[in-house]
């Protein structure tokens, strides 16, 4: 059985680790923006690396950051946080980061994909690690502003300076992670579990379950609106309960009829055959097959990806959902009666 991960807290953070440190955040999307804002609010010197004239440059400048080209940011900083999308890492690293790395610099990722699957091969004389908050960027920012934090994972790939762990923990602390918990893992474990969770449960598994449930009810003659409410809309209610208190809280707040149906019929839908299919997905990830296929798909211009995405968004559940969500005032931007997550 796997051992429990050690919990790191603020007591484990070495003071003044970022004294005389400039962090270049390259990639100003959801995670990059939240990291940069939180780092700055924690007193860290932050600059942004972004393509000139692009939307990231404009957004970062509007947020009050000094924005340089990715290459100039990498040259000026001694700590580079590469928060751009995975498939952009190879080009950014080759053209902008690698030529400007100095011995003893730190190179940080928010996900281990590009290192594990050979898209980035850092020189041996720099620290290489990841810090991965377990939540989307807007939540990382929102919780930080409330004086709280989102749990983070960190992993060390190379410790050239002897201080890589101190740097990783200070980064996690500066974006709010130690207000919750910080766990140490490995690049391999973070990458493979993250990919598996997305594919088998959180995104692929959950959406396919929702769509198939919707289709089953509609094929049986029930109105699409009822199918949408029962198989998609109410899913949030259950996920919120699970997120807040696990299976126990869900069972506490649903009816005994729902509990009985859960216990009796859940294993009829998600069963040993499903588990075997999940194992096949995991094997695909562990063997590198998924990464190879995704890298090649990007190199080809993403034709299969675009076709699959278009088909997914063309499903009837999307049209029904748009109509029904139009009547849900709490979902509209700026609604002051939006329910707390």
């Amino acid at each position: 059985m796997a051992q429990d991960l050690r919990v790191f807290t603020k007591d484990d953070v070495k003071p003044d680790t970022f004294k005389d440190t400039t962090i270049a955040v390259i990639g100003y999307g959801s995670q990059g923006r939240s990291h940069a804002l939180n780092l700055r609010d924690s007193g860290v010197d932050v600059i942004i690396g972004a393509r000139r004239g692009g939307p990231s440059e404009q957004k970062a400048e509007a947020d009050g950051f000094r924005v340089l080209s990715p290459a100039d940011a990498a040259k000026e900083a001694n700590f580079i946080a590469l928060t751009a999308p995975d498939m952009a890492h190879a080009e950014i690293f080759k053209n902008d980061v690698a030529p400007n790395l100095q011995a003893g610099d730190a190179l940080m990722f928010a996900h281990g994909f590009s290192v594990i699957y050979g898209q980035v091969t850092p020189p041996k004389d720099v620290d290489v690690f990841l810090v991965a908050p377990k939540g989307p960027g807007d939540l990382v920012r929102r919780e930080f502003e409330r004086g709280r934090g989102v749990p983070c994972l960190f992993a060390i790939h190379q410790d050239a300076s002897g201080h890589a762990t101190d740097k990783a923990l200070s980064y996690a602390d500066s974006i709010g992670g130690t207000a919750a918990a910080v766990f140490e893992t490995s690049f391999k474990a973070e990458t493979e579990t993250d990919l598996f969770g997305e594919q088998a449960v959180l995104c692929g598994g959950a959406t396919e379950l929702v769509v198939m449930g919707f289709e089953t009810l509609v094929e049986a003659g029930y109105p699409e609106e009822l199918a949408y409410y029962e198989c998609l809309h109410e899913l949030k209610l259950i996920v919120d309960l699970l997120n807040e208190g696990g299976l126990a809280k869900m069972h506490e707040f649903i009816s005994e009829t729902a509990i009985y149906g859960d216990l009796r019929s859940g294993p009829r839908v998600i069963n040993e055959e499903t588990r075997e299919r999940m194992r096949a997905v995991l094997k695909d990830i562990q063997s590198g097959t998924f990464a190879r296929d995704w890298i090649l798909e990007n190199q080809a211009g993403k034709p299969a990806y675009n076709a699959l995405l278009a088909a997914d968004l063309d499903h009837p559940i999307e049209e029904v959902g748009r109509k029904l969500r139009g009547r849900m005032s709490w979902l509209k931007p700026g609604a002051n009666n939006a329910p707390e997550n």
Side-chain angles (χ1 to χ4, degrees):
M1 179 176 288
Q3 294 182 340
D4 291 343
L5 296 178
R6 176 185 166 184
V7 179
F8 290 79
T9 67
K10 202 170 187 68
D11 291 338
D12 297 299
V13 178
K14 185 177 179 180
D16 299 326
T17 297
F18 286 155
K19 184 181 179 182
D20 302 322
T21 295
T22 297
I23 295 182
V25 176
I26 300 179
Y28 204 69
S30 174
Q31 286 289 346
R33 179 174 186 266
S34 297
H35 289 209
L37 291 168
N38 291 3
L39 288 164
R40 184 175 65 184
D41 288 350
S42 294
V44 181
D45 182 24
V46 181
I47 58 177
I48 305 300
R51 180 174 57 84
R52 288 301 187 188
S56 292
E57 179 189 44
Q58 296 172 14
K59 184 178 290 187
E61 287 181 341
D63 287 335
F65 286 104
R66 188 160 62 93
V67 185
L68 294 80
S69 70
D72 287 341
K75 185 175 183 179
E76 179 171 326
N78 49 9
F79 185 126
I80 298 161
L82 192 52
T83 58
D86 295 329
M87 290 300 104
H89 285 191
E91 182 177 354
I92 292 172
F93 183 76
K94 178 183 177 181
N95 297 333
D96 302 315
V97 175
N100 294 298
L101 283 174
Q102 303 290 327
D105 282 356
L107 180 60
M108 193 217 80
F109 299 83
H111 179 39
F113 186 101
S114 57
V115 173
I116 287 294
Y117 298 117
Q119 297 300 287
V120 171
T121 304
K124 297 296 184 182
D125 58 358
V126 302
D127 293 334
V128 182
F129 50 89
L130 68 81
V131 177
K134 302 313 295 175
D138 63 335
L139 182 66
V140 172
R141 179 59 177 166
R142 189 165 67 246
E143 288 299 288
F144 180 91
E145 290 179 310
R146 292 173 174 173
R148 304 185 306 205
V150 172
C152 292
L153 302 178
F154 82 93
I156 308 300
H157 182 70
Q158 284 182 186
D159 186 6
S161 70
H163 302 291
T165 296
D166 291 336
K167 295 175 185 178
L169 284 174
S170 290
Y171 189 97
D173 176 58
S174 297
I175 64 172
T178 57
V182 178
F183 301 92
E184 184 173 16
T185 183
S186 67
F187 267 61
K188 185 174 187 294
E190 186 276 334
T191 302
E192 292 178 352
T193 56
D194 185 79
L195 292 174
F196 176 80
E198 291 169 349
Q199 294 176 33
V201 181
L202 304 176
C203 303
T207 55
E208 286 302 311
L209 188 65
V210 164
V211 169
M212 195 165 290
F214 175 89
E215 291 175 345
T216 300
L217 287 177
V218 172
E219 288 169 1
Y222 296 99
E224 289 183 331
E225 292 83 357
L226 294 185
Y228 179 89
Y229 280 130
E230 297 304 328
C231 296
L232 191 154
H233 174 73
E234 293 191 20
L235 180 64
K236 181 183 186 303
L237 308 177
I238 301 303
V239 170
D240 284 349
L241 292 172
L242 290 170
N243 186 55
E244 293 165 7
L247 297 175
K249 184 162 185 177
M250 183 195 75
H251 288 152
E252 180 183 353
F253 284 90
I254 64 176
S255 69
E256 286 189 336
T257 303
I259 295 173
Y260 179 64
D262 165 8
L263 301 175
R264 182 175 184 272
S265 297
R268 298 166 68 190
V269 177
I270 308 298
N271 53 27
E272 284 303 314
E273 181 181 354
T274 311
R275 193 193 308 275
E276 284 304 310
R277 292 177 183 274
M278 285 185 168
R279 286 172 176 152
V281 169
L282 181 57
K283 184 176 179 181
D284 214 30
I285 292 167
Q286 292 173 325
S287 68
T289 300
F290 169 78
R292 182 201 65 208
D293 291 349
W294 178 224
I295 291 166
L296 291 174
E297 176 69 12
N298 274 267
Q299 292 172 350
K302 299 190 284 190
Y305 169 91
N306 289 330
L308 290 168
L309 181 59
D312 199 46
L313 297 178
D314 193 41
H315 193 278
I317 199 172
E318 282 292 281
E319 180 60 28
V320 175
R322 278 190 290 269
K323 293 177 180 177
L324 295 179
R325 289 192 296 271
R327 297 179 176 275
M328 301 176 191
S329 59
W330 61 89
L331 297 180
K332 295 178 181 178
N336 59 16
N337 58 338
E340 284 286 333
N341 289 331

